[in-house]
mmCIF file with all atom_site columns, all heavy atoms in Angstrom:
data_model
loop_
_atom_site.group_PDB
_atom_site.id
_atom_site.type_symbol
_atom_site.label_atom_id
_atom_site.label_alt_id
_atom_site.label_comp_id
_atom_site.label_asym_id
_atom_site.label_entity_id
_atom_site.label_seq_id
_atom_site.pdbx_PDB_ins_code
_atom_site.Cartn_x
_atom_site.Cartn_y
_atom_site.Cartn_z
_atom_site.occupancy
_atom_site.B_iso_or_equiv
_atom_site.pdbx_formal_charge
_atom_site.auth_seq_id
_atom_site.auth_comp_id
_atom_site.auth_asym_id
_atom_site.auth_atom_id
_atom_site.pdbx_PDB_model_num
ATOM 1  N N   . VAL A 1 27  ? -31.293 1.247   45.570  1.00 0.00 ? 27  VAL A N   1
ATOM 2  C CA  . VAL A 1 27  ? -30.107 1.150   46.415  1.00 0.00 ? 27  VAL A CA  1
ATOM 3  C C   . VAL A 1 27  ? -29.375 2.478   46.442  1.00 0.00 ? 27  VAL A C   1
ATOM 4  O O   . VAL A 1 27  ? -29.199 3.132   45.407  1.00 0.00 ? 27  VAL A O   1
ATOM 5  C CB  . VAL A 1 27  ? -29.167 0.033   45.902  1.00 0.00 ? 27  VAL A CB  1
ATOM 6  C CG1 . VAL A 1 27  ? -27.859 0.033   46.677  1.00 0.00 ? 27  VAL A CG1 1
ATOM 7  C CG2 . VAL A 1 27  ? -29.849 -1.317  46.026  1.00 0.00 ? 27  VAL A CG2 1
ATOM 8  N N   . ALA A 1 34  ? -19.937 0.507   47.515  1.00 0.00 ? 34  ALA A N   1
ATOM 9  C CA  . ALA A 1 34  ? -19.318 -0.402  48.481  1.00 0.00 ? 34  ALA A CA  1
ATOM 10 C C   . ALA A 1 34  ? -19.486 -1.850  48.024  1.00 0.00 ? 34  ALA A C   1
ATOM 11 O O   . ALA A 1 34  ? -18.574 -2.671  48.168  1.00 0.00 ? 34  ALA A O   1
ATOM 12 C CB  . ALA A 1 34  ? -19.943 -0.203  49.858  1.00 0.00 ? 34  ALA A CB  1
ATOM 13 N N   . LYS A 1 48  ? -7.162  -16.491 44.471  1.00 0.00 ? 48  LYS A N   1
ATOM 14 C CA  . LYS A 1 48  ? -6.009  -16.971 45.233  1.00 0.00 ? 48  LYS A CA  1
ATOM 15 C C   . LYS A 1 48  ? -6.359  -18.190 46.089  1.00 0.00 ? 48  LYS A C   1
ATOM 16 O O   . LYS A 1 48  ? -5.531  -18.655 46.868  1.00 0.00 ? 48  LYS A O   1
ATOM 17 C CB  . LYS A 1 48  ? -5.479  -15.850 46.123  1.00 0.00 ? 48  LYS A CB  1
ATOM 18 C CG  . LYS A 1 48  ? -4.969  -14.638 45.350  1.00 0.00 ? 48  LYS A CG  1
ATOM 19 C CD  . LYS A 1 48  ? -4.540  -13.529 46.297  1.00 0.00 ? 48  LYS A CD  1
ATOM 20 C CE  . LYS A 1 48  ? -4.078  -12.298 45.520  1.00 0.00 ? 48  LYS A CE  1
ATOM 21 N NZ  . LYS A 1 48  ? -3.699  -11.170 46.424  1.00 0.00 ? 48  LYS A NZ  1
ATOM 22 N N   . GLY A 1 82  ? -17.065 -25.907 50.484  1.00 0.00 ? 82  GLY A N   1
ATOM 23 C CA  . GLY A 1 82  ? -17.616 -27.033 51.220  1.00 0.00 ? 82  GLY A CA  1
ATOM 24 C C   . GLY A 1 82  ? -18.818 -26.701 52.068  1.00 0.00 ? 82  GLY A C   1
ATOM 25 O O   . GLY A 1 82  ? -19.287 -27.537 52.846  1.00 0.00 ? 82  GLY A O   1
ATOM 26 N N   . VAL A 1 138 ? -34.688 -23.694 72.598  1.00 0.00 ? 138 VAL A N   1
ATOM 27 C CA  . VAL A 1 138 ? -33.623 -24.524 72.045  1.00 0.00 ? 138 VAL A CA  1
ATOM 28 C C   . VAL A 1 138 ? -32.917 -23.744 70.941  1.00 0.00 ? 138 VAL A C   1
ATOM 29 O O   . VAL A 1 138 ? -33.569 -23.134 70.085  1.00 0.00 ? 138 VAL A O   1
ATOM 30 C CB  . VAL A 1 138 ? -34.189 -25.847 71.483  1.00 0.00 ? 138 VAL A CB  1
ATOM 31 C CG1 . VAL A 1 138 ? -33.058 -26.719 70.927  1.00 0.00 ? 138 VAL A CG1 1
ATOM 32 C CG2 . VAL A 1 138 ? -34.955 -26.604 72.562  1.00 0.00 ? 138 VAL A CG2 1
ATOM 33 N N   . ARG A 1 174 ? -25.827 -27.734 77.170  1.00 0.00 ? 174 ARG A N   1
ATOM 34 C CA  . ARG A 1 174 ? -25.019 -27.418 75.992  1.00 0.00 ? 174 ARG A CA  1
ATOM 35 C C   . ARG A 1 174 ? -24.309 -28.680 75.501  1.00 0.00 ? 174 ARG A C   1
ATOM 36 O O   . ARG A 1 174 ? -23.732 -29.423 76.286  1.00 0.00 ? 174 ARG A O   1
ATOM 37 C CB  . ARG A 1 174 ? -24.009 -26.327 76.309  1.00 0.00 ? 174 ARG A CB  1
ATOM 38 C CG  . ARG A 1 174 ? -23.182 -25.858 75.111  1.00 0.00 ? 174 ARG A CG  1
ATOM 39 C CD  . ARG A 1 174 ? -22.221 -24.752 75.498  1.00 0.00 ? 174 ARG A CD  1
ATOM 40 N NE  . ARG A 1 174 ? -22.925 -23.514 75.807  1.00 0.00 ? 174 ARG A NE  1
ATOM 41 C CZ  . ARG A 1 174 ? -23.113 -23.039 77.034  1.00 0.00 ? 174 ARG A CZ  1
ATOM 42 N NH1 . ARG A 1 174 ? -22.641 -23.707 78.088  1.00 0.00 ? 174 ARG A NH1 1
ATOM 43 N NH2 . ARG A 1 174 ? -23.751 -21.904 77.232  1.00 0.00 ? 174 ARG A NH2 1
ATOM 44 N N   . ASN A 1 212 ? -42.147 -18.116 113.518 1.00 0.00 ? 212 ASN A N   1
ATOM 45 C CA  . ASN A 1 212 ? -41.636 -17.300 114.613 1.00 0.00 ? 212 ASN A CA  1
ATOM 46 C C   . ASN A 1 212 ? -40.631 -18.119 115.402 1.00 0.00 ? 212 ASN A C   1
ATOM 47 O O   . ASN A 1 212 ? -41.015 -19.094 116.057 1.00 0.00 ? 212 ASN A O   1
ATOM 48 C CB  . ASN A 1 212 ? -42.778 -16.830 115.514 1.00 0.00 ? 212 ASN A CB  1
ATOM 49 C CG  . ASN A 1 212 ? -42.279 -15.811 116.568 1.00 0.00 ? 212 ASN A CG  1
ATOM 50 O OD1 . ASN A 1 212 ? -41.094 -15.715 116.826 1.00 0.00 ? 212 ASN A OD1 1
ATOM 51 N ND2 . ASN A 1 212 ? -43.235 -15.079 117.141 1.00 0.00 ? 212 ASN A ND2 1
#
Side-chain angles (χ1 to χ4, degrees):
V27 173
K48 297 176 182 178
V138 181
R174 184 179 290 105
N212 188 342

